[in-house]
Amino acid sequence: MEYLPLFFNLKNRPVLLIGGGEVGLRKARLLIRAGAQVQLVSHEVHPELEELLAASQGKLVANDYHKNQLENVVLVVAATDDEAVNQQVNADCVARNLPVNVVDNPALCSFIVPAIVDRSPVVIGISSSGKAPVLARLLRAKLESIIPTRYSDLGQLAARFRDAVKTRFSDINLRRKFWETAFQGSVAERVFNGQMPEAEKLLQQQLENSDTSQPVGEVYLVGAGPGDPELLTFKALRLMQQADVVLYDRLVSAEVLDLCRRDAELIYVGKKRDKHAVPQPDINRLLVEKALAGQRVVRLKGGDPFVFGRGGEELEELKAAGVAFQVVPGITAANACSAYAGIPLTHRDYAQSVKLITGQLKNRTSDLNFAEMVAPNQTLVFYMGLHTLDLIVAGLLDKGKPASTPIALVSQGSTPQQEVLTGTLEDIVAKQAATQLPAPAIIIVGEVVALHDKLAWFNTQENTKESREEKIAC
């Protein structure tokens, strides 16, 4: 470790900033956010920096640098392009044991400023010891994307309760256990959802009932998307990584499942046509039982839980049992598969509406209202219809849909195994009989399918799995 990470308390303390250009402006913003009183040395001052100084009770002390300006300051930042000035500032600060940073010159720095993720009171600094600042900024961007901004609210809530918790628990291990429960459970989830009064009330209740209260469980109904793990939302990933129990469907890909917490209990409850690993009433019962036992339960569903995912049925059971729950939307198959296949669901020239249709009804029939599906300028997307493709095609033709209407089958969409078969209502059944694309697959019907050859980027029916793997390897 080349540098010891430290955090300076600069609130209402004088800091000398030398240089008033663009670089000086960036450093001034940071210093002022930390509460410093900036004293600026510069011949020219950026207009925005001038406004910042006025608003923060900072001041312009001189045009030229002189070592006397170091009196009574606690920290110095040199942001000039004058090498002689920078070296002099360094020498004068070293002689006085003053912390000094010369921007973009690690050799003249006694401290360096890291890339910062600010979730005050939680602050994260990322440093490359001045050797790879761009890499540090890239890492900061990664952390920014996975740490919700409301961690700031969670930290402030903890600060308000810190003394009360310390009074309640004299043992440090008990205090740690209490905070771990709060930071990873229902209190934190209320905060992340912007429910601060509810979070504060719940934390107070947990503190008051800490001797007798049972763990509070919750169910998270999470859309896992169509298969590509990079299509998960940040919220979905966060909940998956803190779950005690995960109930997952057949359509949840192995890559997505691998992102769940390593020691979570994984329960397969997938459904296949005419073969259910766990019947729906038993799934509902499991969700309730696990939550009432104080566990955090993720119900992981392929696609979106509210699009042919029976999420509404499960929430009705949870509501009746008094179990707290959240719903995290996922990218549904219609959106992902059409996008990966280069088939826009709407297009100004071809389709102004979209219908999402299940190819299998509750009574296991396909008694669909085809009359409302034959209107022009719309896109039809059938879920779970591969096994009834001939019935779907026959129903559309019977109600007057032209035989020349383009149609596409997208199998295992968004995964490396994705395959697309295109044709028309007239020939698609024969093509599928010869090709035998596997389920799961969606069926897209409409003029927008004609754009597939032009817009497809993921792969096409001519791209075999072998050729895809070869391209990826290259």
Side-chain angles (χ1 to χ4, degrees):
M1 184 167 63
E2 296 187 34
Y3 288 84
L4 177 66
L6 298 171
F7 290 85
F8 281 95
N9 181 0
L10 296 179
K11 283 185 172 53
N12 300 316
R13 308 190 76 187
V15 173
L16 188 67
L17 173 62
I18 305 160
E22 286 279 356
V23 176
L25 172 61
R26 292 201 301 271
K27 298 305 176 184
R29 286 182 185 137
L30 200 59
L31 293 168
I32 291 169
R33 275 172 58 191
Q37 292 183 341
V38 174
Q39 300 179 7
L40 178 67
V41 175
S42 184
H43 284 275
E44 297 180 0
V45 182
H46 191 286
E48 188 176 343
L49 177 51
E50 195 170 4
E51 293 177 10
L52 282 174
L53 289 175
S56 62
Q57 297 181 326
K59 59 183 179 180
L60 181 66
V61 296
N63 293 331
D64 294 313
Y65 166 74
H66 190 277
K67 64 182 179 181
N68 290 341
Q69 295 157 354
L70 301 178
E71 298 294 333
N72 300 318
V73 301
V74 298
L75 187 140
V76 179
V77 176
T80 82
D81 55 6
D82 189 321
E83 184 64 22
V85 170
N86 290 338
Q87 290 184 358
Q88 187 62 53
V89 170
N90 170 265
D92 293 340
C93 289
V94 169
R96 288 167 171 76
N97 290 320
L98 262 178
V100 59
N101 174 270
V102 177
V103 178
D104 290 334
N105 195 335
L108 297 180
C109 296
S110 63
F111 76 93
I112 56 178
V113 181
I116 293 172
V117 178
D118 186 2
R119 301 289 186 266
S120 296
V122 178
V123 178
I124 302 169
I126 305 103
S127 170
S128 65
S129 301
K131 294 181 171 63
V134 173
L135 178 59
R137 289 198 295 270
L138 290 173
L139 290 173
R140 178 190 66 188
K142 280 184 174 292
L143 291 175
E144 288 274 12
S145 68
I146 62 175
I147 300 176
T149 57
R150 290 194 182 275
Y151 266 96
S152 173
D153 295 330
L154 188 59
Q156 291 169 25
L157 177 63
R160 292 197 295 274
F161 276 78
R162 188 171 187 271
D163 290 340
V165 172
K166 192 172 183 179
T167 301
R168 179 68 181 81
F169 301 105
S170 58
D171 184 272
I172 189 172
N173 291 321
L174 292 177
R175 286 202 299 272
R176 184 175 65 245
K177 185 176 180 181
F178 176 84
W179 283 122
E180 285 175 350
T181 300
F183 292 152
Q184 298 180 84
S186 300
V187 170
E189 288 308 312
R190 301 297 184 278
V191 172
F192 295 148
N193 287 325
Q195 301 170 308
M196 289 302 298
E198 292 86 346
E200 191 158 348
K201 181 179 178 181
L202 182 58
L203 186 58
Q204 183 65 44
Q205 290 173 349
Q206 292 181 2
L207 183 60
E208 292 172 355
N209 303 322
S210 56
D211 286 336
T212 59
S213 63
Q214 295 295 318
V216 178
E218 192 165 1
V219 174
Y220 312 128
L221 195 61
V222 175
D228 185 346
E230 293 190 356
L231 295 182
L232 283 170
T233 64
F234 293 135
K235 186 170 186 178
L237 183 60
R238 174 171 58 81
L239 294 177
M240 289 163 57
Q241 292 180 341
Q242 70 182 37
D244 302 306
V245 183
V246 178
L247 278 67
Y248 66 99
D249 282 349
R250 181 176 67 93
L251 297 180
V252 176
S253 69
E255 293 80 6
V256 168
L257 194 63
D258 193 50
L259 296 174
C260 292
R261 196 175 110 189
R262 292 295 179 189
D263 59 344
E265 179 185 4
L266 302 179
I267 302 176
Y268 176 66
V269 293
K271 302 181 183 71
K272 206 170 183 179
R273 189 181 175 220
D274 298 323
K275 184 179 180 181
H276 292 189
V278 180
Q280 188 63 48
D282 290 346
I283 295 175
N284 299 342
R285 178 181 53 78
L286 271 171
L287 293 173
V288 172
E289 286 180 355
K290 295 291 186 181
L292 292 180
Q295 294 182 299
R296 293 164 295 186
V297 185
V298 162
R299 176 67 172 103
L300 200 56
K301 291 176 171 287
D304 181 276
F306 278 5
V307 179
F308 306 127
R310 303 185 74 169
E313 298 175 37
E314 293 173 354
L315 292 193
E316 287 178 324
E317 294 288 335
L318 296 172
K319 185 73 174 178
V323 173
F325 60 81
Q326 291 185 52
V327 181
V328 182
I331 295 180
T332 189
N335 294 113
C337 296
S338 62
Y340 277 55
I343 303 173
L345 294 179
T346 63
H347 190 286
R348 187 168 57 178
D349 296 331
Y350 302 110
Q352 288 77 55
S353 64
V354 181
K355 287 185 183 293
L356 305 183
I357 308 154
T358 176
Q360 179 175 292
L361 301 184
K362 187 174 182 179
N363 60 3
R364 297 187 180 280
T365 70
S366 289
D367 187 16
L368 300 173
N369 186 357
F370 289 105
E372 69 174 17
M373 303 179 196
V374 297
N377 302 319
Q378 68 176 340
T379 303
L380 309 176
V381 182
F382 292 88
Y383 288 65
M384 300 170 287
L386 196 60
H387 63 286
T388 55
L389 177 62
D390 56 339
L391 299 178
I392 291 171
V393 169
L396 293 173
L397 292 173
D398 181 61
K399 295 300 180 181
K401 198 75 170 172
S404 60
T405 302
I407 181 172
L409 312 182
V410 185
S411 170
Q412 303 181 83
S414 85
T415 73
Q417 292 75 39
Q418 174 177 306
E419 294 183 81
V420 182
L421 180 66
T422 59
T424 64
L425 291 179
E426 185 174 37
D427 62 18
I428 193 64
V429 173
K431 283 187 172 184
Q432 169 59 4
T435 307
Q436 292 292 305
L437 292 190
I442 66 165
I443 303 167
I444 305 174
V445 181
E447 298 301 325
V448 290
V449 173
L451 295 169
H452 162 70
D453 290 336
K454 182 188 298 185
L455 304 180
W457 62 273
F458 190 88
N459 60 56
T460 67
Q461 64 196 68
E462 290 79 18
N463 284 349
T464 64
K465 295 175 189 175
E466 291 76 13
S467 67
R468 271 201 309 277
E469 291 168 357
E470 185 177 335
K471 290 176 184 176
I472 292 172
C474 292

